[in-house]
Amino acid sequence: MLHLSGITKSYGTRRVLDDVAFDVAPGRLTGFVGGNGAGKTTTMRIILGVLARDAGEVTLDGAPVTAADRRRFGYMPEERGLYPKMKVLEHIVYLARLHGFSKADATTRGTALLEELGLGERLDDNVETLSLGNQQRAQIAAALVHDPQVLILDEPFSGLDPIAVDVVAGVLQARAAQGTSVLFSSHQLDVVERLCDDLVIIAGGTVRAAGTRDGLREEHATRRYELVSATDAGWLREEPGVEVLEFDGGFALFDADTDETAQRVLQRAVAAGDVTSFSPRRPTLAQIFTEVIR
């Protein structure tokens, strides 16, 4: 378990992180979201030891993170850092050898990883000839080639088309399934919502919400319901305690002032005709994000 507690960082009189605390659990994907300048990259760099913190602690399995621990970390920065003149496989093999692998093992690992990321046909191409999306995949391979215990990715889906997003998401899910702790930031909230197990929302250097994806959706849920029935639901507009938000014949999206009101609506809908579905509408990540950063 990677644990952050009380992390504070200032530049002069400007405090960029204020008492930041959250966990990145093994075998889980933790999405780290916030606007530009919210503190995501600074937090990641402190975890990696690239930046010094002013206060707080970063621990791994209950002990302070050491330089030896960080050698088992994988990191992909938002800015691409590959050598443009090197061939793709040659580059990944070089990085694996820096982690202590033999040339044969490094080549085997690098080849398998690049093929998994959809770059199997580009192994002998120079990095600079790759599209930006393929350079992003190669950058992810660089972070993964030594099978890190903790994986930290800053905007891994930037520049990827939908197919590439699915490929990279599958690779990250596979690594998490093997027990890796994965922390990734992204501005693509739909991807984060689909992929993450846990979520941390940061704004102005302060964590505004943290927890499991489903737990946060439940915590921020309102009494909003979706009704689909075989009969016209126009009667909802006259129902006490109900605000109809969307309506189309037998479909209605509405807010109820109490749980009892929602149950009364369901009972009336059943009495009026066949009810296809009646379910609470949980908030999206985008809605939760907007709510907590206000």
Side-chain angles (χ1 to χ4, degrees):
M1 173 83 75
L2 181 70
H3 175 68
L4 283 70
S5 61
I7 302 298
T8 301
K9 177 68 177 178
S10 298
Y11 293 107
T13 60
R14 185 170 67 93
R15 180 163 290 189
V16 295
L17 295 178
D18 187 6
D19 196 27
V20 169
F22 60 87
D23 295 328
V24 185
R28 296 178 70 83
L29 290 153
T30 300
F32 194 25
V33 300
N36 292 328
K40 302 186 300 297
T41 298
T42 300
T43 301
M44 290 179 168
R45 289 175 176 171
I46 286 174
I47 294 172
L48 294 158
V50 176
L51 287 177
R53 61 195 182 277
D54 298 333
E57 189 173 35
V58 182
T59 62
L60 183 65
D61 298 332
V65 173
T66 65
D69 291 328
R70 290 188 173 103
R71 284 196 286 272
R72 294 180 289 152
F73 287 12
Y75 176 52
M76 193 207 82
E78 185 175 6
E79 305 83 8
R80 293 182 178 89
L82 303 178
Y83 297 115
K85 301 296 183 183
M86 290 186 75
K87 297 183 186 302
V88 177
L89 177 59
E90 177 187 13
H91 202 314
I92 304 306
V93 168
Y94 168 71
L95 294 173
R97 298 206 67 190
L98 290 179
H99 283 283
F101 292 97
S102 68
K103 185 174 182 179
D105 285 347
T107 301
T108 299
R109 291 161 96 49
T111 301
L113 183 54
L114 290 166
E115 288 176 347
E116 186 180 5
L117 284 162
L119 292 176
E121 297 180 356
R122 309 302 297 272
L123 302 182
D124 293 324
D125 294 352
N126 287 354
V127 170
E128 65 183 355
T129 68
L130 299 181
S131 66
L132 293 179
N134 281 339
Q135 287 184 32
Q136 188 81 337
R137 298 193 208 199
Q139 189 88 48
I140 293 168
L144 283 168
V145 70
H146 58 297
D147 284 338
Q149 178 183 0
V150 176
L151 182 60
I152 299 173
L153 307 169
D154 201 349
E155 296 291 341
F157 303 104
S158 176
L160 299 183
D161 62 40
I163 294 175
V165 167
D166 287 344
V167 170
V168 171
V171 170
L172 298 184
Q173 288 171 320
R175 293 309 181 278
Q178 294 168 7
T180 304
S181 301
V182 182
L183 176 68
F184 70 98
S185 71
S186 179
H187 286 102
Q188 296 166 259
L189 297 183
D190 58 329
V191 175
V192 177
E193 184 163 23
R194 172 164 58 93
L195 188 59
C196 74
D197 301 299
D198 302 308
L199 182 66
V200 179
I201 300 176
I202 188 170
T206 302
V207 173
R208 302 296 180 87
T212 67
R213 176 191 57 192
D214 294 339
L216 287 174
R217 292 185 70 186
E218 187 67 31
E219 178 184 340
H220 292 271
T222 59
R223 293 187 182 91
R224 182 163 295 176
Y225 297 87
E226 181 180 290
L227 168 67
V228 181
S229 66
T231 57
D232 191 289
W235 52 268
L236 259 177
R237 294 193 177 95
E238 308 302 326
E239 194 71 19
V242 169
E243 179 184 359
V244 177
L245 305 174
E246 297 178 23
F247 176 79
D248 183 13
F251 168 83
L253 179 68
F254 68 94
D255 285 343
D257 60 354
T258 66
D259 293 337
E260 290 74 17
T261 297
Q263 289 304 309
R264 188 179 72 244
V265 167
L266 174 58
Q267 291 168 8
R268 182 169 176 181
V270 170
D274 293 335
V275 174
T276 304
S277 68
F278 183 85
S279 60
R281 176 75 70 87
R282 299 299 180 219
T284 65
L285 173 53
Q287 291 169 328
I288 296 172
F289 179 79
T290 301
E291 178 183 337
V292 302
I293 68 171
R294 285 176 180 167

